[in-house]
Amino acid sequence: QKRLWEKKKFIIETNYCITLDKIIDSSRHSVLDTESTLKVILENKEQLAEWKELFDINVQSVDDLKEEKYLVLDTKFFDMKFKYKLLSEFDNLDEDIDGMLINSENFGALTLLQDRYKEQIQTIYIDPPYNTGSDGFLYNDTYQHSSWLSFMFDRLAYAKELLSDKGVVFSSIDDNELKNFQDLYRLTNFNFIATLPTIMNLKGNNDEYAFAGTHEYSLAAAKEKSENIFNHFSVSDDEIQEWKEDEYGFYKKGANLKSTGGNAPREKRPNLFYPIFVNSENEVYVTDNNEPLNDTDTKLLPITNEQDMSWRWQKSKVNAETFNIILVGDGNELSIYKKQRPQLGDIPSKKPKSIFYKPEYSSGNGTAEQKAIFGDKIFANPKPLALIKDFIQIGSNKNSIILDYFAGSGTTGHSVINLNREDNGKRKYILVEMGEYFDSVTKPRIQKVIYSDSWKDGKPTTKNGVSQIFKYFNLESYEDTLNNLEFTKTEEQQKTLDMYPEAKEDYILNYSLDVESQSSLLNIDTFSTPFDYKLKIATSSVGETKDTNIDLVETFNYLLGLVVKNITYRDDDITVLRDK
């Protein structure tokens, strides 16, 4: 059973999502005719229906297709010939692909990726089950600590092999497994860098504990320990320099001490109309009789456009908090402001801080972002985009590959796309998710954020799309592996199995594997027609199976670690050319 679990799994079906701009651009075409291709697309009712559902767009003509160049075509709606004709237009397919989504248990996906992506991943982010029993994960979320460690150990060990020498990994976790996770990095020979308390809810949650929880943790580790592994944030010098320091700490110019708004006029707040004086040493004071201590001191009144207004502070506060006042200008142009003292996370820094906080990190933002894209909350506890974007920014460069093998709703892929939008980067993403929501949440989210960068109530508010192509596929499951075992049995064994059919499964699993399975457990005769290769694939949770085409060519590309340069289509003949 262990051998069957560890067996690298077959790719069941490979499809591609491609923005129409890559099809409309006829300058790259050698096989496809743009006009006839667009007509084929227009006649595909399933594709048009998906565009209506995802993007709220009704396509009725070829001109509509040309106008909507960031609509995302899905090759699953088209036959194999159309798909490969389309793919043949890419001179370097693997290089042109911006991302990959894998619907699979993540252990199987990580083992399949070993040869193709060995030491090529720059940044990994994962948000694994916290082992609380309440995360909503499909993975068991009520492990014994030792079982949780075993579950995570194998996956982290395989993920490490995919990291480049300067690769880094970030992971979210809470108190339940924090200590174990820290130890886990050391057990897998990572260089553990930091435990970063990450503020997700300043008000605190309302769970059963004595203290209202405000934070989770983000663990940072590196494959190899060396200098300059992590980048600094892209904060402008102006943002940093607007903060100054006095004997009481950091400050910057805050609100004008003069009131504004409907209650600002003097007649509304008469007690707050009084003079504030500034002496030659730029010291601020007020007096009971509203007279200066020296005739040469500057007198400031809350007057705006020749109208008497009011101050925000009472006299007593002005005298008590002169250290919180800043003067701007001089002479008749002198203005008085509050010093804004920093709250948590206020002061920008190019170097990441040991406590991770921005208002945008609020867990509520992740839910709000999801509601904007889908019109409803359809996934529990999604991470906010800002947090993952910051991890990617400090952990990668503009040409990196980013991996998330607990992809959930697809926040990591969304973050990569948005970050590339902002800085013209060429980062690629690999997302692995096993849940059924892969087809209803993870993949649609990526399609949606390709088409538009702004959503409300599940509908796009802009058409600011990006040119993109991503590949997605399903992997054979462990149960599928069992369903496709083939054995050569002796005549006596077959008689026994016929007499006791109820013992068949136990017999095969417990006895046959070590004896009858010395040769291949697969029917390799059918490998001679690779595009027609089929396996029995489960179609439901009750054991029903269906003979399904397996992408044998794509499977062996990964097993051998090959890079696909080009797929050539000519006269109904498909040839896959690979990088040596």
Side-chain angles (χ1 to χ4, degrees):
Q1 286 179 310
K2 179 183 176 183
R3 296 213 311 271
L4 294 177
W5 171 256
E6 293 178 342
K7 181 188 84 71
K8 293 186 179 181
K9 303 301 189 286
F10 282 100
I11 294 174
I12 296 174
E13 183 179 14
T14 308
N15 274 300
Y16 300 77
C17 286
I18 306 171
T19 49
L20 291 187
D21 67 304
K22 295 181 179 296
I23 300 172
I24 295 170
D25 180 11
S26 60
S27 64
R28 66 184 301 154
H29 294 172
S30 59
V31 175
L32 288 180
D33 173 72
T34 301
E35 294 297 322
S36 61
T37 302
L38 292 178
K39 288 178 181 178
V40 171
I41 296 171
L42 187 64
E43 292 169 358
N44 192 306
K45 302 304 180 186
E46 290 181 292
Q47 179 66 87
L48 300 188
E50 182 182 74
W51 286 340
K52 173 61 178 173
E53 179 183 355
L54 290 178
F55 312 126
D56 192 39
I57 183 75
N58 284 308
V59 175
Q60 298 180 336
S61 67
V62 168
D63 287 339
D64 288 345
L65 294 176
K66 292 178 179 179
E67 183 71 21
E68 294 283 350
K69 63 180 182 177
Y70 295 122
L71 283 172
V72 184
L73 177 140
D74 193 335
T75 61
K76 75 176 182 180
F77 297 121
F78 299 85
D79 62 31
M80 188 171 69
K81 290 182 180 180
F82 180 89
K83 176 170 72 175
Y84 283 112
K85 278 185 180 179
L86 190 57
L87 296 176
S88 72
E89 299 299 336
F90 295 92
D91 295 329
N92 192 327
L93 186 59
D94 272 20
E95 184 177 304
D96 287 335
I97 289 174
D98 300 284
M100 181 164 65
L101 277 60
I102 306 174
N103 188 194
S104 165
E105 202 284 331
N106 53 20
F107 181 88
L110 289 170
T111 56
L112 183 73
L113 296 176
Q114 289 300 305
D115 290 299
R116 171 61 183 84
Y117 286 99
K118 185 177 178 64
E119 298 180 349
Q120 295 181 49
I121 306 296
Q122 174 59 35
T123 305
I124 294 174
Y125 170 75
I126 54 172
D127 183 19
Y130 288 2
N131 210 18
T132 63
S134 60
D135 286 347
F137 277 86
L138 291 182
Y139 296 95
N140 189 339
D141 200 29
T142 53
Y143 286 108
Q144 295 293 320
H145 290 299
S146 58
S147 298
W148 186 89
L149 271 169
S150 178
F151 168 79
M152 292 299 300
F153 177 90
D154 292 337
R155 288 153 179 79
L156 199 59
Y158 275 110
K160 184 185 178 187
E161 297 303 311
L162 299 175
L163 281 175
S164 66
D165 288 343
K166 291 195 173 183
V168 299
V169 56
F170 296 95
S171 51
S172 295
I173 200 68
D174 71 359
D175 291 282
N176 285 280
E177 296 292 353
L178 172 63
K179 176 62 168 61
N180 285 331
F181 213 163
Q182 292 168 331
D183 292 340
L184 188 63
Y185 279 113
R186 299 181 180 99
L187 287 170
T188 49
N189 295 316
F190 272 92
N191 286 278
F192 186 75
I193 304 297
T195 299
L196 308 170
T198 305
I199 310 301
M200 307 294 290
N201 182 358
L202 275 176
K203 293 186 297 183
N205 57 33
N206 296 315
D207 58 23
E208 70 275 15
Y209 297 107
F211 298 93
T214 62
H215 70 281
E216 296 177 356
Y217 299 97
S218 300
L219 306 186
K223 186 174 182 178
E224 304 290 344
K225 194 167 186 177
S226 63
E227 295 181 359
N228 303 319
I229 292 178
F230 295 98
N231 303 321
H232 287 177
F233 285 125
S234 57
V235 179
S236 71
D237 290 337
D238 289 341
E239 288 179 276
I240 295 175
Q241 290 173 3
E242 69 178 346
W243 288 93
K244 296 179 172 53
E245 190 173 10
D246 60 18
E247 60 184 304
Y248 301 99
F250 287 97
Y251 71 90
K252 69 177 179 179
K253 187 176 78 172
N256 195 314
L257 218 59
K258 283 194 296 185
S259 290
T260 58
N263 291 322
R266 178 178 182 178
E267 59 269 21
K268 296 280 186 72
R269 307 172 76 187
N271 292 333
L272 295 180
F273 181 88
Y274 56 84
I276 295 177
F277 300 103
V278 182
N279 65 23
S280 59
E281 302 295 324
N282 274 345
E283 295 171 335
V284 174
Y285 66 92
V286 295
T287 59
D288 291 337
N289 61 7
N290 293 331
E291 295 294 329
L293 299 177
N294 298 292
D295 291 339
T296 57
D297 291 348
T298 301
K299 178 180 180 181
L300 300 176
L301 286 169
I303 298 174
T304 301
N305 297 328
E306 300 183 354
Q307 180 183 359
D308 289 353
M309 305 296 277
S310 60
W311 298 113
R312 296 178 187 274
W313 289 358
Q314 296 178 349
K315 278 186 179 183
S316 58
K317 186 168 184 176
V318 172
N319 274 338
E321 295 197 22
T322 55
F323 64 90
N324 274 331
I325 291 174
I326 181 172
L327 297 169
V328 177
D330 52 37
N332 294 330
E333 301 298 324
L334 190 64
S335 297
I336 189 167
Y337 292 84
K338 295 191 294 182
K339 284 183 178 179
Q340 179 182 326
R341 300 289 179 180
Q343 295 181 347
L344 184 64
D346 274 358
I347 301 176
S349 171
K350 289 191 174 182
K351 190 173 184 178
K353 301 174 186 175
S354 60
I355 292 182
F356 253 57
Y357 174 72
K358 288 181 181 178
E360 296 87 350
Y361 291 171
S362 167
S363 56
N365 283 355
T367 299
E369 289 157 358
Q370 183 189 98
K371 285 184 176 180
I373 295 170
F374 291 101
D376 199 3
K377 180 181 177 180
I378 56 177
F379 190 87
N381 305 314
K383 285 293 185 285
L385 282 167
L387 177 64
I388 312 306
K389 280 175 60 181
D390 280 352
F391 287 146
I392 294 170
Q393 184 180 357
I394 64 177
S396 69
N397 58 52
K398 292 184 179 182
N399 297 298
S400 297
I401 303 175
I402 317 299
L403 169 65
D404 183 349
Y405 53 91
F406 287 98
S409 68
T411 306
T412 299
H414 188 170
S415 300
V416 170
I417 292 170
N418 276 13
L419 198 55
N420 284 342
R421 266 191 176 104
E422 294 169 10
D423 63 10
N424 295 315
K426 299 295 183 183
R427 303 171 188 85
K428 297 177 183 287
Y429 50 90
I430 300 176
L431 309 181
V432 181
E433 178 52 54
M434 71 177 288
E436 292 182 359
Y437 49 80
F438 178 91
D439 290 315
S440 60
V441 179
T442 314
K443 176 172 162 273
R445 180 177 187 175
I446 301 303
Q447 291 170 284
K448 281 172 170 279
V449 300
I450 288 171
Y451 180 74
S452 173
D453 62 351
S454 179
W455 293 79
K456 183 178 181 181
D457 298 327
K459 298 180 180 181
T461 60
T462 71
K463 294 187 177 181
N464 183 25
V466 291
S467 182
Q468 190 97 170
I469 173 172
F470 71 82
K471 174 167 64 175
Y472 69 95
F473 54 78
N474 302 338
L475 281 189
E476 164 198 20
S477 69
Y478 173 71
E479 290 74 17
D480 294 329
T481 302
L482 293 182
N483 290 333
N484 289 277
L485 293 178
E486 294 199 8
F487 295 95
T488 302
K489 305 178 186 67
T490 66
E491 183 177 346
E492 188 64 29
Q493 287 171 328
Q494 189 59 54
K495 284 181 181 180
T496 303
L497 291 176
D498 290 341
M499 289 172 61
Y500 303 101
E502 69 279 2
K504 181 177 181 180
E505 182 176 350
D506 286 341
Y507 172 78
I508 288 176
L509 290 181
N510 292 312
Y511 300 100
S512 291
L513 282 177
D514 282 332
V515 181
E516 286 85 358
S517 64
Q518 296 305 309
S519 58
S520 175
L521 296 178
L522 299 167
N523 182 356
I524 61 174
D525 292 340
T526 57
F527 281 23
S528 58
T529 54
F531 289 95
D532 299 323
Y533 188 76
K534 288 180 169 56
L535 289 178
K536 296 180 180 68
I537 300 299
T539 58
S540 71
S541 59
V542 295
E544 296 176 351
T545 63
K546 177 184 177 182
D547 284 349
T548 305
N549 273 94
I550 298 303
D551 196 333
L552 202 60
V553 174
E554 187 76 6
T555 298
F556 275 88
N557 286 339
Y558 281 93
L559 294 179
L560 300 174
L562 300 177
V563 176
V564 176
K565 300 279 287 188
N566 182 256
I567 295 175
T568 301
Y569 183 97
R570 60 172 77 87
D571 298 329
D572 293 340
D573 177 56
I574 301 166
T575 304
V576 181
L577 301 181
R578 305 179 182 91
D579 190 334
K580 295 181 181 179

